[in-house]
């Protein structure tokens, strides 16, 4: 199996079989790497699987160290810096070391946010404290809009919110972290992304507020999502998910007329999807239809 196929398959399977993916990573990874550009996407997967899914901080760091020792990893390249951030994040989660004082402000913030994401399901209080610390440090640092930290915080905010949305139940502190994460994602995608990322961040906020039990806020952000969709003549896929969010918000608010109107728009957008998108969007439409009066 070539590198790209391995990486794609691992991402597809990691949520359902994190331990199996970790075993394959440990066995196959060094031999799969043929060029330096492959190190960062691979290190990202290692950090995510060993950190967020398994909580095997030391094992993850050991594998990242093996990647750092690979012959294609140059001493001063971007891959080396990324590997150091990922290792520092896992060490921070484990509590074995805090390497942030020796890092640049940008790297310190990214390491802190990475650790928060990895701890979200295991230690919500610590994850919330770290994420709050990362956001405060970003505000104080006065980073340039082009600094990669902005994108990192946007991604971490989205991922944290998504992870917490999927929990069947949430504590009050988990609810607060979920909302703060989605709000941070929206704020930082406005700096680091295009209208598309900003629109999807509004969708994320709508879904977060639904899970938080606030239908009015969910409706507001679904409408903001759809306003961006309209302003940018977005394709059918974006319209479909925007109207999905609005239909769910109207249903949660006890508004059958609004729900029916949004559902009709979602169905219309679904009909305009290409065949490939229809396949993976069908379950979402089925759930919407199942909840219709």
């Amino acid at each position: 199996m070539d590198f790209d196929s391995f990486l794609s398959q691992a991402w597809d399977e990691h949520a359902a079989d994190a331990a199996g993916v970790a075993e394959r990573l440990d066995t196959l990874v060094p031999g799969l790497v043929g060029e330096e550009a492959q190190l960062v996407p691979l290190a990202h997967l290692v950090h995510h699987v060993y950190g967020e899914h398994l909580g095997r901080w030391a094992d993850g760091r050991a594998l990242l160290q093996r990647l750092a020792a690979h012959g294609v990893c140059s001493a001063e390249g971007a891959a080396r810096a990324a590997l150091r951030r990922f290792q520092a994040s896992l060490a921070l989660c484990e509590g074995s070391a805090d390497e942030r004082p020796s890092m640049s402000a940008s790297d310190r913030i990214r390491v802190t946010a990475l650790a928060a994401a990895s701890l979200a399901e295991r230690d919500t209080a610590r994850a919330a404290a770290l994420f709050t610390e990362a956001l405060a440090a970003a505000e104080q640092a006065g980073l340039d809009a082009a600094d990669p930290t902005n994108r990192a915080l946007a991604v971490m905010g989205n991922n944290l919110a998504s992870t917490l949305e999927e929990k069947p139940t949430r504590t009050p502190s988990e609810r607060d972290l979920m909302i703060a994460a989605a709000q941070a994602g929206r704020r930082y995608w406005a700096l680091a992304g295009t209208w598309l990322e900003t629109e999807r961040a509004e969708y994320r906020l709508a879904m977060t507020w639904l899970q938080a039990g606030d239908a009015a806020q969910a409706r507001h952000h679904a409408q903001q999502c759809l306003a961006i969709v309209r302003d940018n003549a977005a394709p059918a896929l974006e319209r479909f998910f925007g109207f999905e969010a609005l239909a769910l918000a109207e249903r949660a608010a006890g508004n059958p007329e609004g729900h029916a109107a949004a559902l009709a728009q979602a169905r219309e957008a679904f009909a305009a999807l290409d065949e490939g998108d229809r396949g993976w969007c069908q379950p979402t439409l089925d759930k919407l239809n199942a909840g219709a009066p």
Side-chain angles (χ1 to χ4, degrees), residues 40-72:
V40 174
L42 196 54
H44 178 205
L45 176 63
V46 170
H47 179 274
H48 180 74
V49 170
Y50 281 88
E52 186 170 333
H53 285 275
L54 298 176
R56 288 166 49 185
W57 325 117
D59 291 340
R61 285 192 296 112
L63 184 48
L64 291 169
Q65 287 164 3
R66 287 165 61 194
L67 289 176
H70 199 289
V72 300

Side-chain angles (χ1 to χ4, degrees), residues 209-210 213-220 249-250 252-254:
W209 280 111
L210 275 171
D214 192 323
Q217 284 282 6
R219 179 196 288 122
H220 169 74
E250 295 292 10

Side-chain angles (χ1 to χ4, degrees), residues 195-201 203 222 225-226 228-230 232-245 266 269 273 277 280-281:
W195 68 264
L196 180 63
E197 288 85 9
T198 304
E199 173 251 308
R200 290 179 177 179
Y203 169 86
C225 169
L226 287 166
I228 298 172
V229 164
R230 287 191 295 271
N232 291 278
L237 184 66
E238 307 307 318
R239 296 200 307 276
F240 173 70
F241 282 103
F243 281 112
E244 175 218 4
L273 296 175
D277 285 334
W280 67 271
C281 290

Side-chain angles (χ1 to χ4, degrees), residues 119-120 122-132 171 173-174 177:
L119 288 166
R122 287 178 171 76
D123 189 341
T124 304
R126 192 160 170 241
L130 285 168
F131 195 63
T132 300
T171 65
S173 61
E174 288 172 332
L177 177 57

Side-chain angles (χ1 to χ4, degrees), residues 72-231:
V72 300
C73 187
S74 59
E76 302 298 331
R80 176 80 64 178
L83 284 162
R84 187 187 178 204
R85 286 193 296 271
F86 287 133
Q87 290 179 72
S89 166
L90 294 182
L92 187 60
C93 290
E94 186 180 34
S96 57
D98 186 351
E99 301 174 18
R100 293 176 297 170
S102 63
M103 294 179 162
S104 68
S106 178
D107 280 354
R108 286 198 304 273
I109 296 164
R110 282 189 274 177
V111 166
T112 306
L114 283 167
S118 291
L119 288 166
E121 290 195 86
R122 287 178 171 76
D123 189 341
T124 304
R126 192 160 170 241
L130 285 168
F131 195 63
T132 300
E133 180 183 341
L135 296 177
E139 290 288 333
Q140 295 169 4
L143 300 173
D144 186 83
D147 192 288
T149 297
N150 293 319
R151 184 178 184 86
L153 289 172
V155 171
M156 289 304 129
N158 178 82
N159 291 350
L160 265 173
S162 297
T163 295
L164 292 166
E165 284 172 25
E166 292 170 4
K167 290 177 72 72
T169 60
R170 281 167 296 277
T171 65
S173 61
E174 288 172 332
R175 178 185 184 274
D176 292 344
L177 177 57
M178 177 179 68
I179 294 167
Q183 291 172 332
R186 170 64 175 85
R187 181 164 68 253
Y188 283 97
W189 273 129
L191 292 172
T194 66
W195 68 264
L196 180 63
E197 288 85 9
T198 304
E199 173 251 308
R200 290 179 177 179
E202 288 288 356
Y203 169 86
R204 178 86 286 125
L205 271 166
M207 303 306 278
T208 285
W209 280 111
L210 275 171
Q211 292 301 317
D214 192 323
Q217 284 282 6
R219 179 196 288 122
H220 169 74
H221 288 289
Q223 290 170 338
Q224 291 295 105
C225 169
L226 287 166
I228 298 172
V229 164
R230 287 191 295 271
D231 289 346

